Amino acid sequence: MFASLVRPLSRKSSYVPVARFSTSFTVRNNATKESKSYNTILVETRGKVGLITLNRKKELNALSSELFHEVNDALETYDSDSEIGAIVITGSEKAFAAGADIKEMRDKTFAEVYKTNFLGHWGRINDIKKPTIAAVNGYALGGGCELAMSCDIIYAGDGAIFGQPEIKLGVIPGAGGTQRLTRAVGKSKAMEYALSGRPFTAQEAEKWGLVSKIFPKDQLLGEAIKLAEEIAGFSQPAIQACKEAVNSAYELSLKEGMHFERRLFQALFALNDKKEGMNAFVEKRAPKWTNT
């Protein structure tokens, strides 16, 4: 459901804000430093991992236009930072994001949303080259579910609740919900949950293949960052090529996808990192990636 329709969790939340989070960070790109600050998200750099935390707790992290523009800006900043290898997006233990901001949308007209391509900017996450991981605790409903599904990997807390309840508001998902859910869980289940607006659990989402792994809620973020650190420790060009190849499987036939994958594989032979990785393997030592 959307944020305005969600009831609080029955159990008492144990969420405690992480004190070291900051609403600003420094861009490191070709030695250029630029300080940025945000109103609705928190950002932190942990080694080679960029961490984005949605921070509208009173609204259950409802996805306002301001929040999504700030998420896009942080994503693009991390994507251009040569020292960042992967990005984690999370919320609070109560809500990853309980939907789009209904108060912001309710008075909009067809002409307005059509002329401005409303929600079009939500798709900018698709252009991020570096791997993105959604760490989902609590509610991930409507736009929150769509944001999670837009990430490359979803890790979920054991109490996470997903869903596309837009039908209860007289509309349908507008940021990929019908498309990504269908690709992940199949037509029948996608139809059932999109047409009924029913929520589904993290355990169901993992069983269907939508969620990669489930963890206790207090371990979720640490596990997501651990995965991001592992990914960020490899050659960035190889990681980006691998992400591009996997994503192409949604769009291409098997024959075309195999051809595309093989061409990317062959192209990586031009990298210094390919030589270093194979030499390190033969010499039984850890590789020293240069991302070139």
Side-chain angles (χ1 to χ4, degrees), residues 44-216:
E44 180 186 359
T45 299
R46 296 194 184 185
K48 295 181 179 180
V49 177
L51 176 61
I52 301 171
T53 303
L54 310 184
N55 189 41
R56 298 185 73 206
K57 297 185 185 67
K58 291 182 180 180
E59 297 83 6
L60 298 179
N61 291 329
L63 300 172
S64 64
S65 291
E66 180 184 25
L67 183 146
F68 226 102
H69 280 300
E70 291 188 345
V71 168
N72 282 337
D73 186 79
L75 283 168
E76 290 166 1
T77 300
Y78 280 136
D79 204 36
S80 65
D81 188 336
S82 61
E83 295 184 29
I84 295 296
I87 305 166
V88 174
I89 303 177
T90 193
S92 69
E93 284 191 359
K94 191 172 184 178
F96 174 75
D101 194 324
I102 303 302
K103 293 179 180 179
E104 184 179 86
M105 293 195 299
R106 64 179 177 176
D107 293 327
K108 291 184 180 295
T109 66
F110 166 73
E112 182 181 358
V113 298
Y114 186 72
K115 288 191 297 182
T116 62
N117 191 26
F118 184 60
L119 298 189
H121 64 291
W122 285 32
R124 283 164 62 182
I125 189 173
N126 303 323
D127 298 324
I128 300 301
K129 298 184 295 298
K130 294 173 183 176
T132 54
I133 301 169
V136 178
N137 265 323
Y139 295 114
L141 303 174
C145 187
E146 290 171 312
L147 174 58
M149 292 192 295
S150 295
C151 293
D152 299 312
I153 300 168
I154 303 176
Y155 271 11
D158 50 12
I161 300 294
F162 298 83
Q164 298 290 164
E166 289 87 347
I167 202 72
K168 297 182 179 182
L169 299 174
V171 292
I172 67 171
T178 62
Q179 304 303 300
R180 288 194 170 89
L181 189 62
T182 303
R183 285 167 168 77
V185 307
K187 177 184 175 181
S188 182
K189 286 192 181 299
M191 282 287 192
E192 177 186 358
Y193 286 93
L195 292 176
S196 69
R198 294 175 181 174
F200 51 91
T201 66
Q203 290 74 21
E204 289 173 312
E206 183 190 33
K207 179 181 178 181
W208 302 337
L210 182 67
V211 163
S212 179
K213 288 184 179 179
I214 298 174
F215 300 94

Side-chain angles (χ1 to χ4, degrees), residues 16-31:
V16 178
V18 180
R20 63 178 175 274
F21 280 5
S22 170
T23 57
S24 64
F25 67 112
T26 300
V27 181
R28 300 181 304 266
N29 185 27
N30 298 325

